[in-house]
Amino acid sequence: MPKKLAAGNWKMNGLREALGEVKALYAACPTPSCDVLICPPATLIRSMSKVCDGIQIDVGGQDCHENTSGAHTGDISAPMLADTGATYVIVGHSERRATYGETDAQIHAKTAAAWAANLTAIVCIGETLDEREADKTLHIVGGQLAKSVPDAATPTNLVIAYEPVWAIGTGKTPTLAEIEAVHTFIRTRLVERFGPQGHEMRILYGGSMNPKNATDIAAVPNVDGGLVGGASLKASDFITIVQALNA
Ligand code: 13P
C-alpha cells in the first residue's frame, strides 16, 4: 500500500502570521508516519519552505502555468515554484476548472510542465452534483483521469485527488461506500493504464474532510490520504487529520 499523504490546500488564505500554524503542526507531530504537505498561497511558499527546511513537511503550489516563462501576466510557472522550494503542485482543482474554464488538455499540459520541473503533480478530478444525480460520476471521473494525466505518470510524480465538486466547502460528503466505489474505479483505471505501478499511485479524497470524519475516510480501501481545504488552515484541526492518516 502506498504511504498515505495528508495534504492541506490553503487556497487564497493566509498571511505571514499563518506560518505559525505550520510550526504548531510540526511541534505537535514532529515525526508523522504519513507524508505531510501544505500548499499555501504562492506568496507564502518561499517563507514556508524555509520554515519546513529539514522537517517532514513538504510545501507545494496550488497551480502552475503550462509554459516555463513568457508573457503571462499574473501566472507562475512550474520552474518558479520549484525555485521557491515547492516539491508538489496541485493542478486542475475544480475551482480553477470552474472559474478559469481550465480544460483537461490544459491540465494535461500543466502536469507535464510540473514533471519537467521535478514537481509531483496532484491532479484533481471530480463530478458536480448534477453529474452525480444523473449517474454520470464514473463517466466524468474516468474521462478527466484519462485526459488530464500524461503517459509518463509514475507513483513518484503523480497523485490523484478525487474531489466531488458538491462536497467542497459544503460540509457534505459522499457515503464511505460511495467514496470506495469511486476510488476503486480510479485504481482499476490506473492499473489498466500503468500496470503494477498503478497500485502504488496515491489517490486522495478531498471535500469537507475534517477532524470528525477523517478516521473513517482514511480507512476506506484505496483512499491513500486527503486533500483538505478549510480544516487544514488551523494546526489544531489538521493535526487530527494527520494523525488519522498516520494510523
Ligand atoms: P474543503 O476541505 O474546504 O471542503 O476543500 C476541499 C478542497 O477543495 C481541497 O482542495
Side-chain angles (χ1 to χ4, degrees):
M1 279 216 299
K3 191 173 182 187
K4 290 203 193 290
L5 171 62
N9 174 8
W10 280 13
K11 308 190 180 182
M12 198 175 72
N13 296 291
L15 303 175
R16 275 179 298 164
E17 65 195 15
L19 294 172
E21 298 298 327
V22 183
K23 292 177 190 161
L25 182 62
Y26 173 67
C29 197
T31 53
S33 56
C34 65
D35 288 334
V36 179
L37 166 70
I38 304 287
C39 299
T43 47
L44 287 183
I45 292 176
R46 184 75 196 132
S47 43
M48 192 177 286
S49 298
K50 285 185 183 161
V51 168
C52 295
D53 192 26
I55 67 176
Q56 268 183 267
I57 300 177
D58 291 314
V59 181
Q62 299 176 8
D63 176 49
C64 66
H65 197 277
E66 56 265 42
N67 294 344
T68 51
S69 62
H72 304 288
T73 302
D75 279 317
I76 296 176
S77 72
M80 289 170 181
L81 291 176
D83 191 43
T84 60
T87 50
Y88 286 76
V89 61
I90 298 168
V91 291
H93 192 281
S94 63
E95 285 154 13
R96 296 202 61 87
R97 289 180 188 259
T99 310
Y100 301 103
E102 288 192 6
T103 62
D104 289 326
Q106 251 178 307
I107 293 156
H108 186 282
K110 289 180 179 211
T111 304
W115 294 347
N118 285 323
L119 299 174
T120 297
I122 302 181
V123 177
C124 300
I125 56 179
E127 82 287 359
T128 63
L129 187 57
D130 282 353
E131 289 161 348
R132 176 161 281 268
E133 286 176 349
D135 238 350
K136 289 187 182 152
T137 298
L138 298 185
H139 174 72
I140 294 295
V141 165
Q144 290 175 336
L145 184 66
K147 291 185 217 148
S148 305
V149 176
D151 287 335
T154 70
T156 311
N157 69 19
L158 178 73
V159 175
I160 298 295
Y162 168 55
E163 298 205 305
V165 178
W166 52 274
I168 294 175
T170 59
K172 294 181 191 157
T173 56
T175 65
L176 298 177
E178 287 168 340
I179 294 174
E180 180 174 353
V182 179
H183 279 240
T184 302
F185 170 79
I186 294 170
R187 174 75 63 215
T188 304
R189 285 288 166 95
L190 290 174
V191 172
E192 276 168 10
R193 184 166 168 200
F194 300 109
Q197 286 208 319
H199 288 291
E200 302 302 317
M201 292 172 176
R202 295 189 279 196
I203 309 170
L204 311 185
Y205 170 78
S208 295
M209 197 165 176
N210 62 43
K212 289 203 176 110
N213 62 24
T215 303
D216 287 343
I217 293 174
V220 172
N222 287 311
V223 170
D224 305 308
L227 182 55
V228 184
S232 71
L233 295 174
K234 289 275 161 253
S236 51
D237 290 332
F238 197 50
I239 286 161
T240 310
I241 297 173
V242 171
Q243 283 163 347
L245 291 164
N246 267 341

